[in-house]
Amino acid sequence: MAREKIQIRKIDNTTARQVTFSKRRRGLFKKAAELSILCDAEVALIVFSSTGKLFQFASSSMKDIIEKHSIHSKNLQKLDQPSLDLNLEKGNCTSLSKQVAETSLQLRQMRGEELDGLSIEELQQLEKNIDVGLTRVLHRKDEKLMEQINCLQQKGVELMEENVRLRNQILQIPSVGKQAVNETENVIVEDGQSSESVATASHSGGGSQDYDDTSDTSLKLGLGCFGWK
């Protein structure tokens, strides 16, 4: 004989409802235990009766399973948040784009572009801002120039000190110092000899020329006396 199907709705009779609750609760817990064993799953059931009485089943620890459920729920909430974050980011992008456009317009106006839409007061304020900025730029440029000048002066002092130090090191070496002195004396002697040689050669050359001129003159006079031409 076929089992009669009952209509799924609230049982009005309190006694019958309580009997059905007990039978179905035990069957539900039995199925949960079988599911846990067969599939190696963690199963937890929490049931409150109509009178508020608690019935529960857990394949392992109810506390651990509830903690896992809480963590999983938080992760699901985080996955649902990107849509909201995207909307916020979209709004931020719109605001940033507006700020970029305004800043770009200000920069162009600082360069003297797109000034047609500005009033007299706005132009005066722009001129003031440019003057203030130019003053700061010139002040900073002067500071950089002074820093470079001081750096070059410091390098010059260091080079002079290094030169003096190297000269003292050379003088402290006897052989090098003596050789430097000898080379200086040789240069002086060679220069003196060269001057004397030039003077002697000049004097000798002058005497030879006078002798040649005198001989030539005497020859001409002798030829004249004999009537030779």
Side-chain angles (χ1 to χ4, degrees):
M1 184 175 182
R3 187 174 182 179
E4 183 182 359
K5 293 183 178 181
I6 64 172
Q7 186 179 2
I8 304 301
R9 63 182 180 82
K10 181 180 177 181
I11 301 174
D12 296 330
N13 188 297
T14 304
T15 304
R17 185 170 62 241
Q18 185 64 34
V19 172
T20 303
F21 173 78
S22 298
K23 290 181 178 180
R24 299 236 175 190
R25 174 178 56 80
R26 288 193 296 269
L28 179 63
F29 285 0
K30 181 180 179 181
K31 292 293 183 182
E34 292 176 354
L35 177 64
S36 174
I37 295 171
L38 293 174
C39 301
D40 192 21
E42 290 184 310
V43 181
L45 292 176
I46 299 176
V47 180
F48 287 95
S49 66
S50 59
T51 58
K53 188 176 181 181
L54 172 63
F55 298 91
Q56 63 181 10
F57 167 82
S59 59
S60 57
S61 172
M62 178 64 74
K63 182 178 179 182
D64 294 340
I65 296 175
I66 291 176
E67 288 179 354
K68 287 183 179 181
H69 177 267
S70 300
I71 294 173
H72 184 69
S73 299
K74 291 179 180 179
N75 293 332
L76 290 177
Q77 291 177 0
K78 290 181 180 179
L79 293 176
D80 294 337
Q81 286 179 355
S83 58
L84 299 176
D85 294 338
L86 290 175
N87 293 330
L88 294 175
E89 290 179 359
K90 185 177 180 180
N92 292 333
C93 289
T94 304
S95 177
L96 290 174
S97 300
K98 184 178 179 180
Q99 292 179 5
V100 169
E102 293 176 354
T103 305
S104 300
L105 177 61
Q106 292 178 358
L107 290 175
R108 290 194 295 271
Q109 291 175 349
M110 293 287 286
R111 293 196 298 265
E113 302 173 358
E114 300 185 15
L115 303 177
D116 296 337
L118 298 180
S119 62
I120 298 297
E121 291 77 9
E122 291 174 344
L123 290 172
Q124 290 177 349
Q125 183 64 35
L126 180 61
E127 181 182 7
K128 182 179 179 181
N129 295 335
I130 293 174
D131 291 338
V132 172
L134 180 60
T135 302
R136 293 176 180 175
V137 171
L138 293 175
H139 180 68
R140 182 55 184 166
K141 185 187 73 173
D142 294 339
E143 290 180 351
K144 296 293 290 185
L145 289 175
M146 291 301 300
E147 291 176 359
Q148 293 181 359
I149 292 172
N150 293 332
C151 183
L152 292 174
Q153 290 178 349
Q154 182 65 26
K155 289 183 178 179
V157 173
E158 291 177 356
L159 290 174
M160 292 178 63
E161 293 177 353
E162 183 67 16
N163 190 14
V164 172
R165 186 181 64 81
L166 293 174
R167 185 179 298 173
N168 293 332
Q169 289 182 356
I170 292 174
L171 294 176
Q172 290 176 0
I173 302 175
S175 60
V176 177
K178 185 176 180 181
Q179 183 179 358
V181 172
N182 292 334
E183 289 178 355
T184 304
E185 291 177 353
N186 292 333
V187 170
I188 294 172
V189 171
E190 290 176 359
D191 291 342
Q193 290 179 353
S194 299
S195 300
E196 292 176 357
S197 299
V198 172
T200 303
S202 300
H203 181 68
S204 300
S208 300
Q209 187 177 1
D210 294 340
Y211 176 74
D212 294 337
D213 293 340
T214 304
S215 300
D216 190 21
T217 303
S218 301
L219 179 59
K220 289 180 180 180
L221 290 174
L223 292 174
C225 292
F226 289 101
W228 296 346
K229 295 182 181 179

